[in-house]
Amino acid sequence: MTLMDAESRYGAVSRGVHWIMAILLLAMLGSEVWFEALEDTLSEASLMAWHQSIGLTLLGLVVFRGFWRWLNRSRLAPPVRWASVAKWGHIALYALMILMPLSGLAAALGEGDTVTFFGWTVFAHGPEVEWLESSGEDVHEVLANVLWLMIGVHVAAALAHQYLLDDRIMKRMA
């Protein structure tokens, strides 16, 4: 098992970060459900602290993943006939994965809330900035819906490659 990507398969780092992010993204996109399920057990502030911590973790992971992808840029290329679509699809996913936590951060800062990362204060409580809170929340919600759509397209494309085009592309990330 190699850490770096190879011509026929993603390396251990790319695969590990991909699947960790996939699990965390699905948990975050479903956070409305687990917020409601845990609202009697944990306070809203506690739930939001977890949401912020996981969101900031995802932001760090996507930055690392982008850097790792850049390091491995010449090692693994999509099939030529799909290269442009794959490139733009991945750019859209990366943009969404960066903008989601930034819009959430804007909403939290606009609300004047303390932003924490697993108990460590990243931004202390501050003044409420209504326009920042409102626009941050609106953008965060829209981006969440678009991200759900893009994840669906990403999964559909992987399944199409695997079963319709029979190019075994999913084996590269497994």
Side-chain angles (χ1 to χ4, degrees):
M1 178 184 329
T2 178
L3 295 178
M4 301 296 282
D5 297 348
E7 189 174 315
S8 62
R9 188 166 189 198
Y10 288 98
V13 173
S14 293
R15 289 191 323 270
V17 172
H18 175 273
W19 291 112
I20 289 168
M21 287 186 69
I23 290 165
L24 290 176
L25 277 168
L26 292 176
M28 289 296 279
L29 288 170
S31 65
E32 208 170 300
V33 173
W34 57 268
F35 265 40
E36 288 178 20
L38 296 173
E39 69 185 353
D40 294 333
T41 309
L42 299 170
S43 69
E44 184 178 342
S46 179
L47 290 169
M48 188 52 68
W50 275 100
H51 188 79
Q52 291 172 351
S53 295
I54 295 170
L56 290 171
T57 299
L58 282 164
L59 180 60
L61 285 171
V62 76
V63 169
F64 171 78
R65 190 170 174 188
F67 173 71
W68 191 257
R69 187 177 175 108
W70 178 79
L71 284 176
N72 286 277
R73 65 191 174 280
S74 63
R75 297 178 186 265
L76 189 64
V80 176
R81 65 180 178 245
W82 298 104
S84 180
V85 174
K87 176 183 175 182
W88 286 106
H90 283 106
I91 287 172
L93 279 169
Y94 276 81
L96 287 164
M97 291 185 294
I98 290 169
L99 293 173
M100 275 294 294
L102 292 179
S103 64
L105 185 60
L109 293 175
E111 198 168 333
D113 289 344
T114 299
V115 176
T116 63
F117 181 71
F118 296 109
W120 296 29
T121 299
V122 179
F123 294 101
H125 181 76
E128 186 173 333
V129 182
E130 193 172 319
W131 68 267
L132 184 59
E133 175 190 359
S134 177
S135 58
E137 287 175 353
D138 290 346
V139 169
H140 199 62
E141 185 175 333
V142 169
L143 291 176
N145 291 326
V146 175
L147 187 53
W148 269 119
L149 175 70
M150 286 302 298
I151 289 170
V153 169
H154 182 70
V155 170
L159 292 172
H161 272 279
Q162 184 73 16
Y163 298 110
L164 298 178
L165 300 174
D166 200 34
D167 61 11
R168 304 284 185 222
I169 204 163
M170 286 175 59
K171 186 175 183 178
R172 296 162 88 175
M173 191 52 82

